[in-house]
Amino acid sequence: MDAAKETLNKVLHPYYPRDAHLPHYVASTLNINEAFITLGSAVAVTMIISAVLISQTQRKLTCKDKYIVVWMLVCAGIHMVLEGYFAFNHKNLAGMQTVMADLWREYSHSDSRYMTSDPFTVIMEGITALVDGSFAIVTAYGVLTDSPIRYPAQLITSLMQLYGNILYMGINLMEGFRYTNPHPFYFYGYFVSMNAIWMVVPAYLIFDACKNIYRGMLIAKRAAIIKKAN
């Protein structure tokens, strides 16, 4: 009887691998459309706040700088609020009846490690929430105020995002994507597409930061040579 009960507890959830142990799992109250609307609304509010901050800045920003401000503030919201929520509540997340728990239950179709308190995922998301989120805010501040901290913060934020994502996706790859629902909607729509953006954008911002730091150091070096010559 105990063995049958344990087997039943292992499979009463929609996630992969099918034998993942989730005895505390409860179904979400949000359907997929409501989950997307909720997340999209939160992102839209953050983008509006970003637009207001951009409009209030005293300097003229390029289109690229405006996009970076929006990107960094959206990232900060996702890292600190959504991912921070996971890191803090990971042990009970599968059985919680909250909007953010519902969002994680939906995303976990692409990666069940969020439901099982996988140690790497918990540590990675905790660091992402605290460090990446904080440096994303510093980067946005640096762009808005033309602060010298902008490019170092941009480099740190983007490098950590890219590195963390490579480890996160790479481990799943090395284990044969055993944590991911093989249906194309979840594999390509969720796991690949949603994570690809944190590969492409950070890679560009790393290049952009390195280029501008190099230029700044080159100018400083030339100025020092001229000063020494005079």
Side-chain angles (χ1 to χ4, degrees):
M1 179 67 71
D2 291 339
K5 184 177 180 181
E6 183 178 353
T7 301
L8 186 64
N9 284 336
K10 284 184 178 180
V11 299
L12 287 181
H13 60 76
Y15 304 112
Y16 283 76
R18 298 301 294 133
D19 60 351
H21 188 57
L22 291 172
H24 55 308
Y25 169 78
V26 296
S28 298
T29 56
L30 295 180
N31 61 42
I32 185 172
N33 292 328
E34 291 170 332
F36 279 128
I37 291 171
T38 300
L39 182 60
S41 298
V43 171
V45 169
T46 307
M47 293 176 73
I48 291 171
I49 293 172
S50 303
V52 171
L53 292 174
I54 290 170
S55 68
Q56 297 298 314
T57 188
Q58 299 299 312
R59 60 185 295 257
K60 185 175 178 60
L61 299 177
T62 64
C63 288
K64 183 185 77 173
D65 285 344
K66 292 176 182 178
Y67 282 125
I68 291 175
V69 170
V70 174
W71 166 257
M72 287 296 175
L73 291 180
V74 169
C75 283
I78 292 174
H79 293 333
M80 302 182 83
V81 179
L82 189 60
E83 293 172 276
Y85 185 88
F86 161 77
F88 188 77
N89 296 288
H90 65 92
K91 289 184 178 180
N92 304 309
L93 195 64
M96 296 175 67
Q97 292 286 8
T98 65
V99 172
M100 282 197 282
D102 283 351
L103 290 174
W104 278 117
R105 268 190 291 270
E106 179 60 31
Y107 177 74
S108 292
H109 286 288
S110 80
D111 193 337
S112 66
R113 289 177 291 180
Y114 286 96
M115 291 290 102
T116 59
S117 294
D118 173 73
F120 166 77
T121 307
V122 173
I123 293 171
M124 178 199 70
E125 293 291 12
I127 293 173
T128 299
L130 290 174
V131 181
D132 297 27
S134 299
F135 273 98
I137 292 175
V138 173
T139 304
Y141 168 81
V143 177
L144 291 169
T145 61
D146 198 23
S147 169
I149 197 63
R150 179 256 179 92
Y151 288 112
Q154 178 178 315
L155 179 60
I156 292 170
T157 306
S158 302
L159 189 58
M160 291 190 68
Q161 288 174 333
L162 182 62
Y163 180 67
N165 209 20
I166 289 173
L167 289 177
Y168 165 71
M169 298 185 75
I171 290 174
N172 201 10
L173 169 65
M174 293 293 289
E175 296 192 34
F177 299 109
R178 64 189 304 264
Y179 307 107
T180 304
N181 188 320
H183 190 284
F185 178 76
Y186 295 118
F187 185 82
Y188 294 105
Y190 281 15
F191 185 74
V192 175
S193 298
M194 288 187 178
N195 288 288
I197 190 172
W198 270 280
M199 301 281 279
V200 176
V201 177
Y204 169 75
L205 292 180
I206 289 169
F207 170 77
D208 180 66
C210 289
K211 179 180 67 175
N212 282 279
I213 290 172
Y214 173 79
R215 285 178 177 173
M217 294 298 294
L218 192 61
I219 292 171
K221 184 176 181 179
R222 288 174 178 172
I225 291 173
I226 293 172
K227 183 178 180 180
K228 186 176 181 180
N230 293 333

